[in-house]
Amino acid sequence: MNVLTRMIQRGGHFALGERLEDFEVKLLEWKPKGHRITIQSAVRGYLARRNICIKYKTLLAAIKIQHVWRGFRVHKSFAQQWGQIIFLQSCAKTQAKKVLKTLRLQAKDVKKVKEKTVGLEAKVVSLSQALHKKTSEAKEIAEKSALYEATIQLLKEKLEASDNQFKSVAADLLALKKQSSNWSGT
C-alpha cells in the first residue's frame, strides 16, 4: 500500500509517531500512475490539515498563555495579599512586643512598690509596737510619778507634822529651859 492510500484510509490523519517531514518525503517518492486529481486532493487535504493543525496549536498555545497569565495574576495577587498579611502580622508583633515591654516595666515597678510597701508595713508594725511599748512605759512612769507625788505629799505632810511637832517640842523645851533657868536663878 502506498502512502496516499494509507492516509486516505485513515481519514486523512497521520498515524502516531509519523512525522510531517516523513510524509512529505514519502509523498515525493511516490510515483503517481495518472491520478492527478487524487494527488491534488491529497495535497489540498494535507495543507488543510496542516493549517488546521497550526491553528489548533496556535489556539492551544493561546489558551496555555492565557492559563499561565491568569495563574500568574492569581499568584501575584495571592503573593501581594500574603505579603500584606505578613506585614500586618509583623506590625502587630512589634506593637505587641512594645506593649509587653511596657507591661514588664510596669510589673517591675509594681514589684518594687510592693517590696517597698512590705518594708514600710514592717516598719509601721515595728514603730507601732515601739509606740505601744513607749506608751505603756509612759503610763507606768506616770503611775509611778503619781505614786511618788502622793508619797512626797504624804512625806511633806508628815514632815510638816513632824516639823510642827519639833517646833512645839522645841518651844516646850525652850519654855522648860526658861522655867528651869528661872528656877535656878531665883
Side-chain angles (χ1 to χ4, degrees), residues 35-77:
H35 304 285
R36 188 171 204 179
I37 295 175
T38 310
I39 293 173
Q40 283 180 348
S41 71
V43 170
R44 284 184 188 144
Y46 164 73
L47 291 175
R49 281 189 301 281
R50 191 172 89 175
N51 286 340
I52 289 172
C53 185
I54 289 172
K55 286 180 184 178
Y56 181 69
K57 285 181 182 179
T58 308
L59 180 67
L60 285 180
I63 290 171
K64 182 69 174 174
I65 290 170
Q66 287 175 352
H67 176 72
V68 169
W69 176 251
R70 286 183 186 134
F72 172 74
R73 279 195 355 224
V74 168
H75 176 71
K76 189 174 180 181
S77 169

Side-chain angles (χ1 to χ4, degrees), residues 85-96:
I85 289 169
I86 290 172
F87 177 73
L88 290 175
Q89 285 176 343
S90 67
C91 288
K93 186 177 180 182
T94 54
Q95 191 77 20

Side-chain angles (χ1 to χ4, degrees), residues 17-127:
E18 191 174 24
R19 296 184 328 184
L20 191 60
E21 293 87 20
D22 294 341
F23 178 73
E24 288 175 350
V25 168
K26 289 179 183 176
L27 190 61
L28 290 174
E29 291 174 357
W30 180 60
K31 297 193 170 103
K33 298 180 182 171
H35 304 285
R36 188 171 204 179
I37 295 175
T38 310
I39 293 173
Q40 283 180 348
S41 71
V43 170
R44 284 184 188 144
Y46 164 73
L47 291 175
R49 281 189 301 281
R50 191 172 89 175
N51 286 340
I52 289 172
C53 185
I54 289 172
K55 286 180 184 178
Y56 181 69
K57 285 181 182 179
T58 308
L59 180 67
L60 285 180
I63 290 171
K64 182 69 174 174
I65 290 170
Q66 287 175 352
H67 176 72
V68 169
W69 176 251
R70 286 183 186 134
F72 172 74
R73 279 195 355 224
V74 168
H75 176 71
K76 189 174 180 181
S77 169
F78 176 77
Q80 283 179 339
Q81 289 175 352
W82 188 258
Q84 290 170 350
I85 289 169
I86 290 172
F87 177 73
L88 290 175
Q89 285 176 343
S90 67
C91 288
K93 186 177 180 182
T94 54
Q95 191 77 20
K97 282 183 179 180
K98 287 179 183 177
V99 169
L100 182 64
K101 189 176 182 180
T102 57
L103 288 176
R104 283 184 180 162
L105 287 174
Q106 289 175 356
K108 284 181 182 179
D109 291 343
V110 167
K111 276 186 180 178
K112 287 179 183 177
V113 168
K114 209 174 197 182
E115 289 172 0
K116 287 181 181 178
T117 305
V118 168
L120 291 174
E121 285 176 358
K123 282 185 180 180
V124 166
V125 168
S126 66
L127 288 174

